[in-house]
Amino acid sequence: MTGPTIQIVQSNGHRFEIIRWSSDIPEALLLPGATGGIRGYGALGAELQSLGLGVAGMNPRGCGGSQASLENVTLRDLAGDVIEVLSVLCDAPALLIGHAGGNRVARMAASMRPDLITAVVLLAAGGMVPPDEEAQAALSQIMSGSVEKAERHKLYRTALFAPDSKIPDEYFEVPDRSAEFGRAFSAALAATPVGDWWAGGSCPILAIQGLQDRIAPPANGYLLKAKFPDRVQIVDLDGAGHALCTEKPREIAAFVAAFARRLRAGEQLSPR
């Protein structure tokens, strides 16, 4: 397979756009952050595929070619979408990989249907420890969809990237991000108690976090590990912020692929 292909999954009147980095039945499903835009994860998807992990990426409703109502949507609705896609795409329980907002959806899905999910990888595992106020203000402006070109570099640096990371030009123009979905997601999250999704069911969890992440501070991962020491592993990445999938795709892919190999082999996943 020379490059990603697009697949449309239709289920229960919904339509979901899937990017396939492998022609094989996917072992893993990648979920984007709170404004969607799975096309922004091409580097990570390609790295995972190069390491032998069959992976697909899913656009949430209202993003790219995915179509379903955003009116009064709940976090359970979004997790239910993931469950629908897993049921169609995969012929065995799968690994869920969620970035930022997507990791909350992944955790909710793992809580709802543990029979479909072998483990969860959390990339920027926020939710308990609040963001830095300056970074949150910058992110809110970004998510509003009204960022002027002259100020976007500063806002993205403040909210999403480590101080020394290069921000690729294409990061600003991911075509399937959706401010409308971002607003619906924020409302769904605000209406959902953290306790409904925080634990991620009872499956193994690998949390990979940027040490310079100001939106999902690393303290979130440490709290999760303290609460569930027998099933949570933590990887800290220096030189990475909230946009760690863009900053460190090769490093992330190596950790995820090794985690997946151990899951396949049925090894005891000793937390670190």
Side-chain angles (χ1 to χ4, degrees):
M1 188 169 182
T2 57
T5 60
I6 303 300
Q7 177 179 350
I8 299 298
V9 170
Q10 302 202 54
S11 178
N12 294 330
H14 301 154
R15 169 189 168 101
F16 300 109
E17 181 183 44
I18 308 299
I19 289 186
R20 299 281 296 267
W21 286 282
S22 169
S23 58
D24 300 325
I25 295 172
E27 300 173 72
L29 184 65
L30 175 61
L31 309 178
T35 54
I38 196 62
R39 285 173 176 78
Y41 296 79
L44 177 57
E47 291 286 352
L48 288 167
Q49 178 58 35
S50 74
L51 293 174
L53 181 64
V55 61
M58 174 185 172
N59 253 332
R61 53 177 70 192
C63 298
S66 293
Q67 298 173 1
S69 174
L70 290 173
E71 185 175 355
N72 298 320
V73 70
T74 69
L75 199 61
R76 286 187 174 273
D77 292 331
L78 299 177
D81 295 345
V82 172
I83 290 165
E84 287 181 36
V85 168
L86 287 175
S87 299
V88 172
L89 281 185
C90 304
D91 64 357
L95 173 65
L96 275 187
I97 307 168
H99 172 235
N103 91 71
R104 304 179 192 210
V105 177
R107 286 193 256 185
M108 179 64 87
S111 299
M112 291 167 61
R113 287 296 303 273
D115 57 310
L116 293 180
I117 296 159
T118 56
V120 176
V121 175
L122 311 177
L123 307 175
M128 193 69 77
V129 179
D132 170 275
E133 290 185 4
E134 180 188 32
Q136 181 59 61
L139 182 62
S140 296
Q141 192 169 346
I142 291 167
M143 290 183 67
S144 73
S146 60
V147 177
E148 297 293 334
K149 189 171 183 178
E151 62 180 339
R152 68 183 186 179
H153 193 279
K154 179 181 178 182
L155 289 170
Y156 278 71
R157 171 73 65 197
T158 298
L160 301 174
F161 284 83
D164 296 328
S165 292
K166 182 181 185 303
I167 307 179
D169 289 342
E170 58 268 23
Y171 189 84
F172 299 108
E173 306 296 345
V174 177
D176 45 349
R177 288 194 192 125
S178 166
E180 184 183 9
F181 172 74
R183 289 189 289 272
F185 178 85
S186 295
L189 199 60
T192 307
V194 173
D196 284 4
W197 56 266
W198 175 256
S202 57
C203 66
I205 292 174
L206 173 64
I208 303 176
Q209 49 192 19
L211 288 177
Q212 286 75 43
D213 191 339
R214 300 174 67 187
I215 296 297
N220 282 284
Y222 305 146
L223 279 177
L224 190 65
K225 180 175 173 59
K227 179 69 173 176
F228 306 107
D230 294 335
R231 61 186 183 90
V232 175
Q233 301 176 57
I234 299 290
V235 172
D236 290 328
L237 290 181
D238 197 15
H242 201 59
L244 70 170
C245 297
T246 298
E247 296 168 294
K248 302 284 185 180
R250 183 170 298 176
E251 293 87 343
I252 291 170
F255 284 115
V256 174
F259 183 66
R261 285 194 296 271
R262 294 166 67 198
L263 287 170
R264 284 188 209 127
E267 294 181 22
Q268 182 67 35
L269 300 175
S270 302
R272 293 185 297 179

